[in-house]
Amino acid sequence: SDDKVEMGVQAATHWDALAHVGYEGVMYNGVPFDAVTEAGASKLGVENFGPIVTRGVLLDIARLKGVDYFDDNYAVTGDDLDEAATKAGVTIESGDIVLVRTGQMHWLREGDKMRFSDPSPGMSTKSIEWLHDHEVAAVATDTLVFEVWPCEDPAVLLPVHMLHLRDLGLV
């Protein structure tokens, strides 16, 4: 006999694989949606990442704004990232992983799992160009959704995910 474990993979620290999202029927590098089935991703799956060894740089947006955490869905922009790097005395280099702190973990420490996810500060569409221009290898936040939630434009679901993963290949 064998054990079976089922859980939502969005329940803890995780990487979004390039097969996570796309639009107009395709994911990164033009891979069609039907490359992902109940059996998993035949292409672009997280198992293709391999080891990642590089410098991580923490940019503390909550501290930059003088708060421990945000009460709303603050949208982190490229200007915020520049300011936080300057304040921390760091220069973002090609290949760095940028870790963005918003303080959102406060809600989990308070025992409020629902408030942890909605509303949530996170990456803005106004951060995408900054991350691309700085040749960041990967980006992470201390939030469940990753990008600002609810999204900046209610008509577009998860635009930062779509552009990072599908268009830039940025995990």
Side-chain angles (χ1 to χ4, degrees):
S1 73
D2 199 1
D3 294 326
K4 180 177 180 179
V5 176
E6 290 186 33
M7 65 179 266
V9 294
Q10 299 287 330
T13 300
H14 66 280
W15 287 100
D16 282 343
L18 294 175
H20 180 53
V21 296
Y23 59 92
E24 297 176 347
V26 296
M27 299 173 290
Y28 181 68
N29 259 357
V31 173
F33 282 168
D34 64 8
V36 179
T37 67
E38 286 183 10
S42 62
K43 296 184 177 181
L44 306 179
V46 72
E47 73 277 5
N48 296 308
F49 276 24
I52 299 173
V53 180
T54 190
R55 184 175 80 138
V57 179
L58 174 66
L59 298 180
D60 192 336
I61 304 305
R63 180 174 289 170
L64 173 72
K65 298 300 179 180
V67 297
D68 291 327
Y69 58 90
F70 292 97
D71 287 318
D72 60 7
N73 62 329
Y74 184 83
V76 178
T77 68
D79 288 343
D80 291 330
L81 299 172
D82 264 338
E83 250 186 276
T86 299
K87 186 171 184 172
V90 297
T91 300
I92 304 302
E93 299 174 4
S94 177
D96 284 347
I97 293 178
V98 172
L99 310 168
V100 179
R101 181 185 170 276
T102 68
Q104 190 68 355
M105 296 296 290
H106 162 81
W107 301 108
L108 285 182
R109 285 190 298 275
E110 292 291 312
D112 193 342
K113 293 178 185 175
M114 293 303 294
R115 178 59 186 81
F116 173 64
S117 61
D118 187 13
S120 178
M123 303 305 287
S124 164
T125 55
K126 296 176 181 136
S127 69
I128 296 168
E129 188 174 351
W130 187 94
L131 292 163
H132 178 266
D133 290 349
H134 286 81
E135 299 177 348
V136 169
V139 59
T141 68
D142 59 350
T143 70
L144 178 67
V145 183
F146 174 75
E147 63 191 88
V148 62
W149 184 261
C151 298
E152 296 159 288
D153 179 349
V156 183
L157 182 64
L158 302 175
V160 179
H161 274 72
M162 299 297 175
L163 295 173
H164 278 190
L165 293 165
R166 185 203 131 153
D167 296 345
L168 301 179
L170 177 64
V171 296

